[in-house]
């Protein structure tokens, strides 16, 4: 059987498909953020997205597939946003470095970080999820490192620069975890003020 | 009704009580580490500890009480161990600082850190657990900071030293999370080698 569509109809269907996917991925991160791993059921996510269970299963057959796609999609979107915001920065090198650290810190305290941490911790004791997550996290980690090198305008061929960039990301991850249960902004701001000065001399 | 015991009997009962408690607390951390928050049920913990459900409920009436007591007990034990190991260190100031950073890093990649992270993440979306955990974590955090200042022999009255100690702990927390799903030892070792040099100039 051959099914024929007019080009316009096909385009419309593809666009609708993309909208459905985006809604599901964003609802997944919202639900992980609000209800945690165990609370973010596929039923709840479909409801939140306003998408039928059938459409959800068509795009993402398993909960793991949905969650991994959501983490990847939003990590890419977040990286794009950071690049755009950095491109719009003005001021001298020091002011720019300060703002870049702040933008990165905001990423590590936002809902996507929290949602990703929920998935990470769940994957630790769920072999199937872990096997799928490990290569994805390696890729996201490399892209985050590349992004940080770019936005900090860091020259990794110089000794110590690579470690300084990595330390910045690990420090921000630690600060993200410290912000999970209480608002740690005041302490983080003081600590990052010192870190910015140090980073300026390191890179 | 008055119940009388010989002094020896009372001592024996108290000692047995302490042993039961210790077993339960250690089994709790083991189960959180092995099975994660949702898998570490009170039934499983009682089984692992070899303690009856009745005795478990007598000492820790709720799962939250058990889990919080476990995190606190083992954090105290870990701090004691670190202090003992640091006291036994030989070598010059640089060698000692290197070993101290390694001892702290080991604490942030060990089973207790992982168990505590499971509880932390669960508490984010469990208001009752969070309310009980927040003051405990504040206390444990302060004690960890104090311990780090002591074992690094750092003078916090000097500018930047307090931030350097905090950054060390936040960095180690970030490295602990990076080690959750895969063995991150090689990267962590390189990064900490650079951090030790930096820390030596900061404190």
């Amino acid at each position: 059987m051959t099914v024929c569509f007019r080009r316009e109809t096909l385009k419309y269907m593809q666009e609708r498909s993309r909208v459905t996917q985006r809604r599901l991925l964003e609802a997944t991160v919202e639900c992980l953020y609000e209800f945690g791993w165990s609370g973010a059921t596929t039923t709840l996510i479909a409801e939140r997205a306003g998408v039928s269970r059938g459409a959800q299963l068509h795009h993402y057959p398993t909960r793991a597939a949905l969650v991994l796609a959501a983490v990847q999609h939003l990590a890419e979107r977040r990286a794009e946003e950071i690049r755009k915001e950095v491109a719009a920065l003005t001021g001298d090198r020091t002011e720019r470095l300060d703002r870049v650290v702040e933008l990165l810190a905001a990423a590590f305290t936002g809902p996507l970080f929290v949602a990703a941490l929920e998935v990470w911790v769940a994957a630790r004791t769920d072999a199937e999820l872990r096997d799928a997550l490990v290569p994805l996290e390696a890729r996201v980690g490399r892209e985050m490192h590349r992004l940080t090198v770019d936005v900090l305008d860091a020259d990794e061929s110089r000794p110590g620069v690579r470690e300084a960039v990595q330390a910045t990301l690990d420090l921000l991850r630690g600060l993200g975890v410290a912000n999970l249960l209480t608002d740690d902004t005041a302490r983080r701001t003081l600590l990052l003020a010192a870190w910015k000065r140090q980073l300026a001399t390191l890179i």
Side-chain angles (χ1 to χ4, degrees), chain A:
Chain A
M1 188 183 72
T2 311
V3 183
C4 299
F5 294 107
R6 289 179 57 200
R7 192 184 294 269
E8 291 74 19
T9 312
L10 197 62
K11 267 198 183 166
Y12 171 74
M13 285 164 69
Q14 285 171 340
E15 177 54 26
R16 250 187 53 151
S17 213
R18 265 196 298 273
V19 170
T20 302
Q21 284 179 7
R22 205 162 48 227
R23 268 204 210 147
L24 279 167
L25 300 182
E26 279 163 19
T28 303
V29 170
E30 283 172 27
C31 289
L32 282 168
Y33 180 67
E34 282 177 43
F35 310 111
W37 172 257
S38 54
T41 61
T42 48
T43 313
L44 197 65
I45 293 168
E47 255 175 48
R48 169 70 61 108
V51 166
S52 73
R53 284 284 283 152
Q56 184 188 41
L57 289 170
H58 168 68
H59 290 294
Y60 305 102
T62 64
R63 188 177 180 219
L66 177 60
V67 160
L68 295 180
V71 169
Q72 176 162 23
H73 167 73
L74 288 220
E76 283 165 10
R77 247 195 45 192
R78 184 182 62 176
E80 261 172 53
E81 280 168 17
I82 292 177
R83 280 187 197 275
K84 260 190 219 159
E85 291 186 74
V86 170
L89 287 183
T90 54
D92 64 19
R93 200 176 152 80
T94 307
E95 287 164 337
R96 283 169 51 90
L97 184 138
D98 286 5
R99 272 301 289 150
V100 165
V101 171
E102 282 156 27
L103 284 169
L104 292 171
F108 277 94
T109 47
L112 177 58
F113 173 75
V114 172
L117 187 65
E118 288 279 351
V119 178
W120 248 20
V121 168
R124 199 183 64 79
T125 47
D126 178 333
E128 215 181 309
L129 185 63
R130 189 181 60 227
D131 289 348
L133 186 60
V134 164
L136 170 63
E137 278 296 335
R139 201 160 64 243
V140 170
R142 276 196 303 274
E143 278 161 21
M144 194 68 194
H145 184 90
R146 173 53 38 209
L147 169 72
T148 309
V149 168
D150 289 351
V151 296
L152 285 173
D153 201 9
D155 176 5
E156 284 200 301
S157 68
R158 288 171 50 204
V161 170
R162 187 173 171 75
E163 287 76 10
V165 171
Q166 285 191 347
T168 301
L169 291 173
D170 285 297
L171 175 67
L172 291 175
R173 191 181 310 110
L175 288 169
V177 174
N179 199 59
L180 271 191
L181 299 183
T182 49
D183 182 359
D184 192 36
T185 309
R187 189 185 74 92
R188 185 174 60 249
T189 305
L190 284 175
L191 195 155
L192 285 181
W195 181 252
K196 288 167 186 170
R197 298 289 65 78
Q198 229 172 305
L199 194 58
T201 66
L202 287 169
I203 63 170

